[in-house]
Amino acid sequence: MNKNKNLRPLLFWTLVGITLVSAILFAIAKISSNRPVPVPITEDTPISKLEYWDDENGTVAKDIVYEKDQSIYTSSFIGEYKNFSINPKVAKISKNGWNLILLNKNNILPDNYEITLAEIAGGQIKMDADAATFFNKMYIDASREGIILTPFSGYRTISFQRKLFENKISEIMKADGLEEKDAALVAVKSINVPATSEHNAGLAVDIISRDVSFAETEEYQWLCANAHKYGFILRYPEDKKNITGVEFKPYHWRFVGINAANEMKNSGQCLEEYVK
């Protein structure tokens, strides 16, 4: 009797079993994973190739997508919330560059402010094209260290910003029983007035994780230690609430350029203090 011949079916079914078990374990790991799994990145990976998580197809590479210049008309928003004691003035473009424009409840985007948008790594989110280039480099470098920076929100239209702001006012009115004006003054501490948000300028990105508090994640710690090298700052630090007028937002990162980010990192200043 040929022993090798008798062993062939056993060997065959053993290999089939191993393959099935491996496939099942891989599927379970993929489903239960709390983090997106990036495409392997090498030193030769061009920044124009962006990894992002797609629920249907898994992780894929996608070419950067540029849109035509977006012209934003903000005249109609000036004075819109004047009755709420919120009456921002037109923000000035800093002599040091567009990247240092100060936007907050007191400063609104200039009329016809132009943006060229580009999709950023890690998701189908867009930012100002120049800021996107620096975010993409940061994303790639972070992923090489096992840190996945998942963008949740980037550029927002002003109309969408208005919707967020007015929804927040309604939410506060119902929850706290406040009048509309008082609710609006509370709302601006967490949601920017339309055309005063850095998201409307394409200069901010909100980065999230599946964890409850982003401030306790390794992604947040990595950003605190490294984001300035790529021109990004933590826009609303906890110890600057009295200056920014906005509550602590560990997930909100603003592009200001590498030189400014390094200087703010070293001095401990927030943007309001830096551009003063």
Side-chain angles (χ1 to χ4, degrees), residues 251-268:
Y251 51 83
H252 184 102
W253 295 81
R254 157 72 190 263
F255 180 76
V256 294
I258 292 177
N259 290 338
N262 281 328
E263 290 175 357
M264 278 185 263
K265 174 74 173 177
N266 292 331
S267 67

Side-chain angles (χ1 to χ4, degrees), residues 188-190 236-238 241 244-251:
V188 294
K189 295 179 181 179
S190 56
Y236 304 114
E238 190 164 18
K241 288 186 288 187
T244 65
V246 178
E247 62 189 27
F248 175 46
K249 293 185 176 182
Y251 51 83

Side-chain angles (χ1 to χ4, degrees), residues 156-188:
R156 295 178 194 157
T157 62
I158 295 177
S159 59
F160 182 64
Q161 188 71 30
R162 180 200 273 125
K163 189 180 206 179
L164 290 175
F165 183 64
E166 294 184 351
N167 284 349
K168 189 66 176 179
I169 292 175
S170 297
E171 178 186 313
I172 293 171
M173 289 174 65
K174 291 177 182 177
D176 301 333
L178 297 178
E179 295 293 327
E180 189 176 23
K181 177 180 177 179
D182 295 328
L185 294 176
V186 175
V188 294

Side-chain angles (χ1 to χ4, degrees), residues 21-41:
V21 170
S22 298
I24 292 170
L25 290 175
F26 175 79
I28 292 173
K30 182 177 179 181
I31 293 172
S32 63
S33 175
N34 286 332
R35 300 174 186 277
V37 181
V39 169
I41 298 172

